[in-house]
Amino acid sequence: MREILLCKYGEIVLKGANKRYFEDTLCKELRRRAKKCGNFDISRAQSTIYIEPKDDFADIDAMFEAASKTFGLAAIGRAAVCEKDLDDIKRVAREYIPQFLFGKKSFKVEGKRSDKTFPLNSMELAGEIGAEILEATGGKIRVDVRNPEITVKVEIRERAAYVHAGQFKGAGGIPVGTGGHGMLLLSGGIDSPVAGYMMAKRGLRVEAVHFESIPYTSELAKDKVVRLARTIAAYTGDVYIHVVSLTKIQEELVKHCEEDYFTLLLRRYMMYIASKIAADHESKCLITGESLGQVASQTMEAIAVTDNAASIPVLRPCIGMDKEEIVEISRKIGTFDISIEPYEDCCTVFTPKHPKTKPQLDKVLVEERKLDFEALAKEAIDGAYVIKAEAYQ
C-alpha cells in the first residue's frame, strides 16, 4: 500500500494573479526540506500539494514533521493511494483506516468526487466506505454524522483515489521568502525568537544580529542564542547570525555618559549597527521582540528615541502582546526552555538603577555626542562574524 502526504493551502488561495508565485515558492521550500528526508516527488493540483515517496528509503514521518513546520500550509494529512475503483477503495479503507480509529468511539465518512466520471456520487461513496469500515472494526465504533471524533475522507481526484483519516493543522501563514528579508535582533530571551517566528510566518526570510559583551557575557550565552536560532530555523529555514561585540561601546558609555541613559544609548547603537548590517545583506527591515511597556526601554517615548537611530523600518510583532501570550508561542515552537536558561546577554550588563522611561531625543543626543558614535559603531561592525544555524531535523 502506497502512502503519501496531501497538503492544503491556506491564505495562498486568496492571492489572485500572484497565486502561482506563492505556490512555486512553497513547493521550492518543501523540496529543500525534503532533501533531508529522502527521495520525494512534490507536485500540485487543485490547491493541493502532493508529497509522494519515490522509494523505500523516503522517510514519510520525517517529511510529515518538516511539512508541519512549513509556512503556507493550512493542513496536512497522510493518505493511502488506491485505484479509482470501488473494490480497491474498499480494500484500502479496510486495511488502512482502522489504525486511526483505535480508542475512538465514533466516526463518519465524507466523500469528495472531483472526477465526475466516477460512477458513485459523494454521498453514495461515503455510505459504501462507512459500511466497509464498520465491518472491518467489528462494530467497536459507531457512525456519528453530526459530531464524530474522527472524520474519514475519501477523495476521487484526477490522478487517483485517496483515503485518509482527517488532517492535521499546518503552520499557516505564507511561504518564507515571499515577503522579502528581515534582520532579527536576537537575544537570549523569550521574546525575540518568537518575533522572528512570527515574521517568518508572514513571509520574511530571517537573518539575525546578536550582540555579545565578552568578557561580561559568556560563550554559553552565545551558544544559547545559536540553539534558539536552530530551533526557529525549523520554521524559518537556516538562520545566519551576525555576532557583534558591544564590549568597547559599553565601556565607553560607562566612562563618559550619564548612567540613566545607558540603556537608551546602547539600544540606539544596536539599531544603528543592525541597520548597517541589514543594508549589506538585502534585509529591508529590522525585527525586535519588544512589547509595549514591558521594560523601561519599551515605553512609547523610548521606542521613538531608539527608532530614530534606525535607517530602515522596525517591525515589532509582539508589541501588543502580554508576556503570557508570548510565552505560549515560545512553548509551542520549542524555544521557551532554552530562553530561560540562566546565561545573561549584553542587555543585562551595566544596567542603570533608574533608566529613563520618558526620554527626550535632544537630551539623549547630547549624551550620545560625548562619544565618537560612528567610529565606535564601525569598529563593532568590522569585528562582526557569522554563525550559520541550520534547522534541527
Side-chain angles (χ1 to χ4, degrees):
M1 187 184 305
R2 189 159 60 96
E3 190 177 32
I4 71 168
L5 301 181
L6 294 178
C7 305
K8 303 288 188 179
Y9 302 163
E11 193 174 329
I12 292 176
V13 298
L14 306 175
K15 295 302 179 182
N18 295 319
K19 180 181 174 183
R20 185 180 182 87
Y21 164 68
F22 285 86
E23 290 175 328
D24 289 344
T25 304
L26 177 55
C27 287
K28 183 179 179 181
E29 178 65 16
L30 286 167
R31 292 188 185 103
R32 184 191 67 78
R33 291 170 179 251
K35 290 178 181 179
K36 296 184 179 180
C37 304
N39 295 316
F40 288 87
D41 180 64
I42 297 175
S43 60
R44 68 175 188 262
Q46 299 173 307
S47 296
T48 299
I49 291 179
Y50 299 78
I51 303 178
E52 305 182 51
K54 287 185 176 182
D55 53 42
D56 293 338
F57 299 102
D59 187 341
I60 198 166
D61 293 329
M63 191 65 231
F64 182 92
E65 178 69 15
S68 71
K69 295 180 178 179
T70 303
F71 291 127
L73 296 179
I76 307 161
R78 300 173 74 127
V81 184
C82 42
E83 300 293 330
K84 290 191 287 185
D85 171 80
L86 183 59
D87 288 338
D88 195 49
I89 296 171
K90 286 182 176 181
R91 176 189 65 79
V92 170
R94 174 183 285 271
E95 296 175 4
Y96 183 68
I97 293 301
Q99 63 180 312
F100 299 102
L101 304 181
F102 183 77
K104 307 295 184 183
K105 294 181 179 180
S106 64
F107 80 103
K108 76 172 181 178
V109 178
E110 291 182 353
K112 182 177 180 180
R113 187 183 60 152
S114 299
D115 181 354
K116 303 304 182 184
T117 64
F118 190 78
L120 276 66
N121 64 32
S122 297
M123 292 290 290
E124 293 168 337
L125 178 61
E128 289 281 351
I129 302 308
E132 195 71 23
I133 292 171
L134 281 173
E135 184 178 330
T137 55
K140 295 179 181 179
I141 187 170
R142 62 184 176 84
V143 174
D144 184 347
V145 297
R146 293 183 181 276
N147 189 31
E149 285 191 61
I150 191 167
T151 300
V152 175
K153 295 188 178 183
V154 183
E155 301 187 40
I156 311 297
R157 294 177 173 264
E158 295 299 327
R159 58 176 74 182
Y162 304 93
V163 178
H164 56 97
Q167 293 181 316
F168 295 85
K169 189 175 181 180
I174 55 178
V176 170
T178 57
H181 290 69
M183 190 66 68
L184 170 67
L185 277 69
L186 181 61
S187 71
I190 295 170
D191 305 337
S192 58
V194 170
Y197 161 85
M198 291 174 70
M199 293 316 305
K201 188 173 183 178
R202 299 312 308 158
L204 280 185
R205 179 73 66 188
V206 175
E207 288 193 51
V209 176
H210 172 65
F211 296 98
E212 64 179 5
S213 298
I214 304 294
Y216 305 108
T217 58
S218 70
E219 288 293 322
L220 290 173
K222 181 173 66 181
D223 174 68
K224 172 184 173 181
V225 167
V226 173
R227 286 185 287 123
L228 286 170
R230 284 177 179 154
T231 304
I232 65 169
Y235 296 91
T236 67
D238 297 341
V239 178
Y240 290 88
I241 310 167
H242 302 266
V243 182
V244 180
S245 173
L246 290 180
T247 303
K248 185 172 181 179
I249 291 172
Q250 290 179 289
E251 291 174 341
E252 290 298 304
L253 286 173
V254 171
K255 290 178 185 177
H256 301 289
C257 301
E258 290 186 23
E259 181 184 355
D260 292 356
Y261 288 93
F262 285 177
T263 300
L264 286 167
L265 294 169
L266 186 64
R267 291 290 298 175
R268 282 179 57 82
Y269 268 106
M270 289 179 175
M271 291 296 193
Y272 180 84
I273 290 169
S275 295
K276 291 293 186 181
I277 293 173
D280 291 336
H281 293 85
E282 300 182 351
S283 289
K284 304 300 182 185
C285 66
L286 302 182
I287 307 163
T288 80
E290 292 164 298
S291 173
L292 186 63
Q294 188 175 129
V295 295
S297 64
Q298 295 174 21
T299 64
M300 187 70 73
E301 294 84 354
I303 288 171
V305 166
T306 56
D307 272 9
N308 175 263
S311 57
I312 54 178
V314 182
L315 305 183
R316 296 178 170 89
C318 301
I319 194 69
M321 302 171 69
D322 62 30
K323 200 67 176 185
E324 186 176 343
E325 292 171 311
I326 298 171
V327 166
E328 182 179 351
I329 296 173
S330 73
R331 291 186 187 277
K332 170 187 168 184
I333 65 177
T335 57
F336 179 76
D337 288 341
I338 303 173
S339 293
I340 62 174
E341 290 178 3
Y343 306 122
E344 298 181 328
D345 60 34
C346 67
C347 294
T348 62
V349 179
F350 306 125
T351 303
K353 292 181 180 179
H354 303 289
K356 293 287 185 181
T357 58
K358 295 185 177 181
Q360 296 178 8
L361 180 60
D362 57 346
K363 293 183 178 180
V364 174
L365 293 177
V366 168
E367 291 299 311
E368 191 171 89
R369 292 188 190 105
K370 294 178 180 179
L371 306 176
D372 191 339
F373 185 92
E374 291 194 7
L376 284 170
K378 184 178 185 303
E379 183 177 348
I381 294 169
D382 290 345
Y385 59 96
V386 178
I387 299 172
K388 181 181 180 182
E390 297 186 14
Y392 285 134
Q393 290 292 337

